[in-house]
Amino acid sequence: MTTRFLRRLPLRVAIAVLLVVEIYPLVWLLLGSFKTQNEFLSEPSWALPSQLNFGNYIEAWTQGNLAIYVRNSLLAVVPSLALIIALGVAAAFALEVLVWKGRQTVLLLFLAGIMVPWQMILLPLFTTYFELGLAGTLWPLIITYTATGLPLTVFMMATYFRSVPHEVFEAATLDGAGMLRAFWSVGFPMVRNAVFTVALVQFFFIWNDLLIALTFTISDDLRTVQAGLLSFTGEFGQTAYGPLFAAICTNVIGTLLLYLFLNQRVMKGLTAGSVKG
Amino acid sequence: MHNVLGDRRAVIILLGPALAVYTLVMLVPVLWSLGLTFFEGNALFGFDAVGFENFTTLWNDPRILDSLWFTVRYAVVITIGQVLLGYLLALLYVFALRKASSLIRTLVFFPIVLPTVAVGLLFQQLFAIAPQNGLVNELLNLVGIASVDWLGSADTAFWVLAAMDIWRSMGFYAVLLYAGLVEIPDDIIAAARLDGATGWQMVWRIVVPLSMPVLLAALIFSINGTLKVFDSIVALTNGGPGDATTPLTLYMFRTSFSYGEYGYGSTIALLLTVLSLGVTLLIFRSSRRDVSGTDR
């Protein structure tokens, strides 16, 4: 018994160290978000906060404009997600289930979009949005997120449709339903789970995006959470620790909660989408 | 039977919108961006044709060499770090923890879902020196080592960056590689054990060759992602100190949007694209030779 325990000891220690390294920075962050400026300056940073002080959060949300950033992020993410799913799932169905000449080529065309760095499209898009007078709105974000999300969505959904036996769709159309009906009432419900996984993956990509947000949000009241948080230190000056920690916490909490409840699905989805690198 | 699935109208209605959006917002801009490499100017003041001038500038620009070198160094270090540590973790999950690994797997995976900007700012605070020591310097002080200005010099900033990105992604690669390892049939492992293979010998001779396809896939994903690094660097060091941690992506961004040189910006973007496509093809081709070699 004890020899077995001793033999496993190095392994246990290694795992404990691993977990501390992965988890403790976040605990440190959360504790920091409750501390007062005084506690930051006079006590070691591993000390516990003297009380649960939500003042930092209020300050970050109001004076730090975090409320506006969160609103902008939601306004950009939700329509983009809906469009990505609607367009991407239909396209994957047309490319994988329907049979027509040239579908292989179009599928490859979509896949190429996964590899191309987004730096290749930013400048023409910026020019176009500027000419169209969209530069002062959130539309550039919604349009760009939708288009950049499509390749991976089409790729992943095509994989899922491939695993559904095609006889199912043929049978559906024999009953007199057209191909569109077959997609809507048979195809879509059959991959509903996969659609949810893909939506989850795309949510993480869009919510966490910085490059596109930074390029197209030209004024402070258009900034998303990620772009806004970058300038957060500037607005308060380097030393306002509490509100900064509270703002980082707010940014982290959404994805963290999603992961807490849906971790197996998130793990499956993100690794399936790993082609994106 | 194929007639039913060959409904042209359905193809157009289902595929049309996605293809239109994709073409207008991605394909056309890519071609447009290629065209921009022969111009200089920007959206506000208009463009002038300059022929191959952007390419000669690119060739002679010492900052391109610096950021290219940084990009490659970063991609190689992070790729080796995250795939190697990920593989070691995956081995740990499969052979040491076995069925009990689910919780650990889930916990080590989670930093990858956090916004990179948040992680970058968190690491800035962890490695801070002024006006207050961050956690890392406090711990160093505790064991009698003086505080280090981590983000103040090029070398240490690079390693903090590496530590952060490996911290973020090793759990992700562990799960990716774990999926490949559990597919190795148990009887092969059992047979090797009967033949007297133990510990590292088993790993090196049996497990690594059998998981080669998934390892190579992980390498391609990783190099492809790290060559395009942007978020973590902007959030943690913003390219500094000086330009010491400026990758091609950030140099392109600054050239385009801070200095308004769209033509040169497009040329840098093209270099980045060629680099990442080239590296992917290279690994892909060498891996095919590898796989066919072991087949024989």
Side-chain angles (χ1 to χ4, degrees), chain B residues 42-274:
Chain B
N42 58 50
L44 285 173
F45 300 107
F47 294 94
D48 293 310
V50 291
F52 286 91
E53 201 187 291
N54 285 323
F55 291 93
T56 45
T57 314
L58 186 84
W59 187 252
N60 297 314
D61 184 354
R63 291 184 59 193
I64 279 287
L65 211 61
D66 289 344
S67 54
L68 185 63
W69 171 231
F70 174 80
T71 306
V72 170
R73 207 158 43 112
Y74 172 89
V76 168
V77 169
I78 306 294
T79 294
I80 292 177
Q82 64 194 6
V83 176
L84 189 70
L85 283 176
Y87 196 64
L88 289 176
L89 282 174
L91 289 172
L92 180 83
Y93 297 161
V94 177
F95 295 107
L97 298 172
R98 298 198 186 92
K99 295 268 179 317
S101 75
S102 175
L103 178 68
I104 313 273
R105 236 163 42 220
T106 311
L107 285 173
V108 180
F109 184 89
F110 94 102
I112 196 81
V113 305
L114 303 177
T116 322
V117 172
V119 175
L121 295 177
L122 169 63
F123 270 68
Q124 232 174 40
Q125 295 305 323
L126 283 172
F127 285 88
I129 182 167
Q132 281 285 102
N133 269 336
L135 187 61
V136 175
N137 276 333
E138 281 180 322
L139 292 178
L140 286 184
N141 291 171
L142 213 59
V143 293
I145 303 172
S147 298
V148 177
D149 186 3
W150 293 101
L151 298 174
S153 86
D155 277 339
T156 48
F158 180 85
W159 290 109
V160 173
L161 200 56
M164 175 177 103
D165 274 333
I166 292 171
W167 178 84
R168 275 184 62 233
S169 55
M170 66 180 180
F172 172 80
Y173 280 91
V175 170
L176 191 72
L177 293 161
Y178 171 83
L181 286 186
V182 286
E183 273 172 19
I184 297 176
D186 282 339
D187 40 337
I188 294 188
I189 305 287
R193 199 161 273 149
L194 276 183
D195 288 343
T198 49
W200 290 113
Q201 198 186 2
M202 164 90 92
V203 169
W204 197 240
R205 294 274 173 80
I206 311 288
V207 180
V208 170
L210 283 175
S211 52
M212 214 33 146
V214 69
L215 258 176
L216 282 166
L219 275 181
I220 293 180
F221 300 155
S222 170
I223 203 101
N224 201 17
T226 48
L227 284 175
K228 297 175 195 163
V229 63
F230 182 79
D231 304 15
S232 29
I233 289 178
V234 172
L236 183 69
T237 66
N238 200 18
D243 286 327
T245 57
T246 303
L248 284 174
T249 50
L250 183 57
Y251 187 38
M252 177 273 170
F253 191 86
R254 294 224 169 110
T255 307
S256 310
F257 298 110
S258 306
Y259 304 116
E261 296 173 19
Y262 283 21
Y264 194 42
S266 295
T267 316
I268 303 173
L270 179 61
L271 174 66
L272 181 69
T273 308
V274 170

Side-chain angles (χ1 to χ4, degrees), chain A residues 102-155:
Chain A
R103 61 177 187 151
Q104 224 48 43
T105 319
V106 177
L107 189 61
L108 277 178
L109 204 62
F110 270 107
L111 294 192
I114 299 179
M115 303 296 279
V116 175
W118 291 348
Q119 274 79 6
M120 276 301 273
I121 60 171
L122 292 182
L123 289 166
L125 287 181
F126 191 86
T127 312
T128 311
Y129 295 142
F130 185 78
E131 296 286 334
L132 293 176
L134 295 175
T137 68
L138 287 170
W139 283 108
L141 289 188
I142 298 172
I143 297 169
T144 317
Y145 285 143
T146 305
T148 49
L150 278 177
L152 188 66
T153 307
V154 169
F155 167 75

Side-chain angles (χ1 to χ4, degrees), chain A residues 2-205:
Chain A
T2 41
T3 50
R4 185 179 147 77
F5 179 80
L6 282 178
R7 202 154 42 85
R8 304 276 288 182
L9 194 62
L11 180 67
R12 276 157 211 263
V13 171
I15 287 170
V17 170
L18 178 71
L19 289 184
V20 168
V21 167
E22 291 289 332
I23 309 289
Y24 184 65
L26 280 185
V27 176
W28 185 75
L29 175 70
L30 181 69
L31 292 177
S33 74
F34 296 120
K35 289 183 184 173
T36 62
Q37 185 73 2
N38 245 337
E39 286 175 276
F40 270 107
L41 296 179
S42 56
E43 287 178 40
S45 73
W46 61 74
L48 296 176
S50 59
Q51 58 188 42
L52 279 187
N53 158 29
F54 284 92
N56 291 329
Y57 284 87
I58 295 169
E59 206 166 316
W61 276 73
T62 53
Q63 276 165 272
N65 287 342
L66 197 59
I68 297 173
Y69 301 150
V70 171
R71 186 202 65 192
N72 289 338
S73 273
L74 290 174
L75 283 177
V77 168
V78 175
S80 314
L81 265 187
L83 282 169
I84 288 177
I85 293 303
L87 300 181
V89 176
F93 185 84
L95 288 167
E96 189 57 45
V97 177
L98 298 181
V99 182
W100 47 284
K101 227 177 133 184
R103 61 177 187 151
Q104 224 48 43
T105 319
V106 177
L107 189 61
L108 277 178
L109 204 62
F110 270 107
L111 294 192
I114 299 179
M115 303 296 279
V116 175
W118 291 348
Q119 274 79 6
M120 276 301 273
I121 60 171
L122 292 182
L123 289 166
L125 287 181
F126 191 86
T127 312
T128 311
Y129 295 142
F130 185 78
E131 296 286 334
L132 293 176
L134 295 175
T137 68
L138 287 170
W139 283 108
L141 289 188
I142 298 172
I143 297 169
T144 317
Y145 285 143
T146 305
T148 49
L150 278 177
L152 188 66
T153 307
V154 169
F155 167 75
M156 288 175 78
M157 287 313 303
T159 319
Y160 290 119
F161 276 124
R162 202 167 301 152
S163 62
V164 179
H166 284 197
E167 289 78 11
V168 173
F169 303 110
E170 290 171 355
T173 51
L174 282 187
D175 296 343
M179 213 52 234
L180 288 177
R181 272 282 305 279
F183 166 66
W184 190 242
S185 54
V186 181
F188 199 85
M190 283 196 85
V191 290
R192 208 167 30 194
N193 255 322
V195 170
F196 183 62
T197 306
V198 171
L200 207 57
V201 170
Q202 291 295 347
F203 171 82
F204 283 119
F205 284 143

